[in-house]
Amino acid sequence: MNTFIYYSILQALLVIIFGILFYLALKDLNEKKSLILENKTLRKEDEKRVYELTVLYDVSNAISYIMDYEKIDRLIMGFLPKILDYDVSTLLLLNDKPQAKHSGRMYVQRLKPVSAEFMKSIKGIVFQAINVLIPKSVKEDDLEISEVISHDAVFDEANNVGSFLNVPILVKDQSIGMLSISSRQEKAFSRNDLRLLHTIANQMSSAIQRLQEVIAAEKNKMDRMVEAMVEGIILTDEVGELVVINPSAKKMLGMADQEKLDIDHVLDHFQDGRAKHMPLKARAWLKKVLSGNGDLITKEITVNEPTKKIVRFDIESIKDNDGKILGAVTVLRDVTQTKEVDRMKTEFVSTVSHELRTPLSIIKQGVLLMLNGAYGNINDNQNKILSTSARHIDRLTRLINDLLDISKIEAGKIELRCQAFDVVAKTSEIVKQLQGNADEKSISIQPVKSSARELFVDADPDKFEQILTNLIANAVKFTPEKGRISLSILESENSKFIEISVADTGEGISKADIPRLFSKFEQFGRVAGPGIKGTGLGLAISKALVEMHGGKVWVESELGKGTKFTFSLPKAKGVCLDGKETS
């Protein structure tokens, strides 16, 4: 009996001991397991911190090289989802230009499905927060809004904003925007998330401040350069507000230094004694350039105050590398002296040409009388000399006529006597007259091709003959022997003009020379000695006469493949212009 009790007590003690040992072992195991889990958690947190620091470093490194506001915005919005988990993020930045079209811009990034009510609520939260920090109230209608939506971010059923973080963007202690993230879940963001958002906002603030300082320094440098320029300079931004006007521009426009400086007041000084409503026209031209409908507009005005002067101004758009219009520049030049020199030169050329024409006519008449035997028979040598003299007198007469024509055109003294006539018949008639010149070089002038048997234009027949004769004579002059010249006439695509073309198989014109082709006194490939000669006025005269009719002239050419000149004249149903500006 005692032995049984003894063994029972011993067995109970062993169970207790084994129980205690098992408990201690299990406790140790749990502690080790907890330690392992804690180590894993710490390792994950460490890995997360390392990843966050890497991303922040990448942001800092990338943003330090960016010198463009929009690129900074896109960079920040691109990095946010890499380190923060949210449904919607917004970036609101205010514009520092008081007269800008928008008071700021807002970027909205939806990563997960949210409802319209959610979007309305989060925008309201952002606007409420920013309006506390700035003196002027900002509304959604005042902003230029860009929205980025992920492929699965469609509108879900109605849901509310569960949590959000707003962090102001400060530059020199002034709030210029707000960076915000939001979620449908409550308590979705931690203190660490807030710290990260603050860090990114601070990096963005530093980048914007640095960019503003660079822009201010460059603007100061540009202002000093512009102020020192002889030409007048007027710079406007993309919405047409005045940015810079230099002293030369003020002087040319008769503005006092203390006068009010805004674009409307500046344009009010675009007064022209020859044309009414010039300020209104100047506003329309500036608007046209800023809208992208015109790259360069060139005009002249006559300013009477404080002294009479002629001012030429060019308005041109300023674009970035992507073609976006950033503003416009207006360059003013005082061309009073240049115009006076041109006037004196034109008068001199006209006077000398008139003085030469009379004795030339008498000399030619005497030569022709001798050639016709009016003063007795002449031998072969005399006939050869007199014939050569007659040809050179004709050539000199043509040169003088060209000089007179160009001087009349520049003086605005050319009058057009327009009438409707069949351009096909008239062209065929002119070709017959010039066939002899082509035959001397065995050049074939092909029959005139036209889109109809009769095509009528509103034009001056004599001026049309002068234009076409110049082009055909040029083709004969520059086409080698046994070459070919062809003419074609057809209606323009809009059926408002008739297009006349003269094509040859000559040497062609290089692309570098084409822009100067219609300039006065321009000749290409001219060499000393015998050969092709002229004044270089024929094409300039032809272009001016075509434009006086309201048409255009252009050229297509390639070296070694010939040249094709085309000019257009109004189809016979409109009013012929008199060559004077009607704007």
Side-chain angles (χ1 to χ4, degrees):
M1 185 67 179
N2 291 333
T3 304
F4 175 74
I5 295 171
Y6 172 77
Y7 279 111
S8 296
I9 293 170
L10 181 62
Q11 187 177 10
L13 288 172
L14 289 173
V15 169
I16 293 171
I17 291 170
F18 278 116
I20 293 171
L21 291 175
F22 179 76
Y23 169 76
L24 292 173
L26 186 62
K27 182 180 179 183
D28 183 60
L29 182 63
N30 286 334
E31 287 179 352
K32 288 181 178 179
K33 186 177 179 181
S34 298
L35 185 60
I36 291 171
L37 290 174
E38 186 178 347
N39 287 337
K40 285 184 178 180
T41 303
L42 290 173
R43 186 162 59 250
K44 286 183 179 179
E45 289 182 357
D46 288 342
E47 289 174 354
K48 184 180 178 182
R49 296 291 180 272
V50 170
Y51 175 73
E52 289 171 352
L53 290 172
T54 302
V55 172
L56 291 174
Y57 173 78
D58 290 341
V59 172
S60 177
N61 189 48
I63 209 169
S64 62
Y65 295 101
I66 296 177
M67 301 301 291
D68 181 273
Y69 285 117
E70 291 188 8
K71 289 182 179 179
I72 292 175
D73 302 341
R74 289 197 295 269
L75 176 74
I76 294 299
M77 297 302 281
F79 271 107
L80 269 182
K82 294 182 179 181
I83 56 174
L84 292 168
D85 183 21
Y86 55 85
D87 294 343
V88 175
S89 64
T90 60
L91 173 60
L92 172 63
L93 290 171
L94 302 178
N95 201 325
D96 57 354
K97 297 177 182 177
Q99 303 298 328
K101 184 178 180 181
H102 298 101
S103 61
R105 57 192 185 276
M106 186 176 192
Y107 295 87
V108 180
Q109 185 183 60
R110 283 195 279 133
L111 299 181
K112 298 175 183 177
V114 292
S115 65
E117 290 79 5
F118 183 98
M119 293 303 302
K120 184 177 179 181
S121 297
I122 193 60
K123 287 179 181 178
I125 290 170
V126 172
F127 291 134
Q128 185 179 5
I130 192 69
N131 288 331
V132 171
L133 300 174
I134 62 173
K136 182 181 177 181
S137 178
V138 178
K139 296 178 293 184
E140 185 173 353
D141 294 339
D142 300 331
L143 302 174
E144 180 183 4
I145 298 180
S146 301
E147 193 162 351
V148 179
I149 307 172
S150 297
H151 61 89
D152 61 344
V154 294
F155 280 136
D156 202 352
E157 294 181 0
N159 42 51
N160 298 319
V161 178
S163 52
F164 65 88
L165 292 177
N166 288 336
V167 175
I169 298 172
L170 304 173
V171 173
K172 296 181 179 178
D173 297 328
Q174 295 292 321
S175 180
I176 65 161
M178 184 76 67
L179 184 59
S180 172
I181 58 174
S182 55
S183 174
R184 291 165 296 170
Q185 299 178 9
E186 294 184 1
K187 299 180 180 180
F189 306 119
S190 64
R191 287 184 176 274
N192 184 58
D193 293 333
L194 179 61
R195 179 183 58 80
L196 288 173
L197 198 62
H198 264 294
T199 302
I200 292 176
N202 289 338
Q203 288 181 336
M204 188 172 190
S205 299
S206 299
I208 291 175
Q209 182 174 339
R210 183 175 63 254
L211 182 55
Q212 287 180 349
E213 290 171 352
V214 170
I215 291 173
E218 290 299 319
K219 184 179 182 299
N220 187 40
K221 187 190 301 182
M222 183 190 69
D223 288 347
R224 290 198 300 269
M225 292 172 61
V226 169
E227 285 182 3
M229 293 178 68
V230 176
E231 293 86 358
I233 302 293
I234 302 172
L235 288 176
T236 55
D237 62 16
E238 70 276 10
V239 294
E241 293 300 323
L242 184 66
V243 177
V244 173
I245 178 170
N246 70 346
S248 295
K250 292 180 184 178
K251 184 178 179 181
M252 291 182 198
L253 296 173
M255 295 178 64
D257 290 337
Q258 66 273 17
E259 284 194 49
K260 179 183 176 182
L261 290 181
D262 60 56
I263 192 62
D264 289 330
H265 187 73
V266 171
L267 293 178
D268 284 340
H269 282 77
F270 278 65
Q271 300 290 343
D272 191 342
R274 303 169 303 166
K276 296 180 180 179
H277 312 302
M278 182 56 70
L280 292 176
K281 291 181 180 180
R283 287 182 178 87
W285 293 327
L286 178 60
K287 185 177 179 180
K288 183 178 180 181
V289 168
L290 289 173
S291 65
N293 294 323
D295 289 332
L296 175 64
I297 294 177
T298 300
K299 298 290 180 180
E300 287 183 2
I301 56 175
T302 300
V303 181
N304 294 319
E305 298 294 340
T307 57
K308 186 175 181 179
K309 65 175 76 72
I310 301 173
V311 177
R312 176 182 297 152
F313 62 91
D314 302 292
I315 307 176
E316 188 170 10
S317 59
I318 304 171
K319 300 178 181 179
D320 62 12
N321 294 333
D322 298 325
K324 180 183 177 182
I325 294 177
L326 305 176
V329 58
T330 303
V331 181
L332 298 91
R333 298 178 179 88
D334 187 342
V335 295
T336 308
Q337 290 186 348
T338 304
K339 288 286 184 180
E340 180 62 19
V341 170
D342 284 344
R343 186 191 64 79
M344 293 173 64
K345 180 194 69 177
T346 301
E347 287 185 358
F348 173 77
V349 171
S350 179
T351 301
V352 172
S353 300
H354 277 292
E355 292 298 323
L356 287 173
R357 179 181 280 181
T358 302
L360 272 177
S361 299
I362 296 172
I363 294 170
K364 182 179 179 180
Q365 185 178 1
V367 170
L368 291 176
L369 287 172
M370 286 188 286
L371 280 171
N372 293 329
Y375 302 113
N377 295 329
I378 57 175
N379 58 37
D380 291 341
N381 287 333
Q382 291 171 332
N383 184 74
K384 183 178 179 180
I385 292 172
L386 290 171
S387 297
T388 302
S389 299
R391 285 198 305 273
H392 283 286
I393 290 171
D394 287 338
R395 178 171 170 268
L396 189 55
T397 301
R398 288 194 298 272
L399 298 180
I400 291 173
N401 287 337
D402 283 349
L403 289 171
L404 285 172
D405 283 342
I406 201 70
S407 64
K408 287 179 181 178
I409 289 170
E410 290 180 342
K413 295 180 179 179
I414 291 284
E415 294 183 3
L416 301 181
R417 294 178 174 85
C418 295
Q419 63 185 62
F421 65 90
D422 180 10
V423 72
V424 177
K426 185 69 174 176
T427 299
S428 300
E429 178 186 324
I430 295 170
V431 168
K432 288 179 182 179
Q433 295 173 3
L434 297 173
Q435 186 65 58
N437 295 339
D439 290 342
E440 291 179 4
K441 295 177 67 177
S442 300
I443 294 173
S444 169
I445 301 182
Q446 305 293 310
V448 178
K449 295 180 180 180
S450 64
S451 57
R453 291 185 61 184
E454 293 182 335
L455 291 170
F456 287 83
V457 295
D458 256 337
D460 185 322
D462 293 334
K463 297 299 184 286
F464 171 78
E465 182 172 348
Q466 184 177 358
I467 295 165
L468 191 58
T469 298
N470 272 337
L471 296 180
I472 296 176
N474 261 2
V476 172
K477 189 185 298 183
F478 292 100
T479 299
E481 291 186 1
K482 299 182 180 181
R484 186 176 67 258
I485 297 172
S486 58
L487 291 91
S488 61
I489 306 171
L490 50 85
E491 283 191 27
S492 63
E493 291 183 0
N494 60 13
S495 299
K496 294 182 179 180
F497 291 87
I498 302 297
E499 296 177 354
I500 303 97
S501 298
V502 179
D504 62 54
T505 57
E507 296 178 359
I509 305 165
S510 69
K511 291 183 179 180
D513 289 335
I514 286 178
R516 299 184 291 125
L517 199 58
F518 295 100
S519 301
K520 293 183 294 184
F521 305 108
E522 286 286 358
Q523 292 180 311
F524 305 105
R526 177 167 180 158
V527 294
I532 300 168
K533 298 292 187 291
T535 58
L537 291 173
L539 291 177
I541 292 171
S542 297
K543 180 176 184 290
L545 293 176
V546 169
E547 291 177 348
M548 287 173 67
H549 285 83
K552 293 181 179 180
V553 60
W554 62 95
V555 62
E556 302 167 60
S557 185
E558 190 174 341
L559 284 175
K561 294 186 178 181
T563 303
K564 180 182 178 181
F565 283 92
T566 304
F567 66 97
S568 62
L569 294 174
K571 195 176 177 181
K573 62 179 180 180
V575 179
C576 187
L577 303 175
D578 61 0
K580 296 180 180 179
E581 186 178 358
T582 58
S583 61

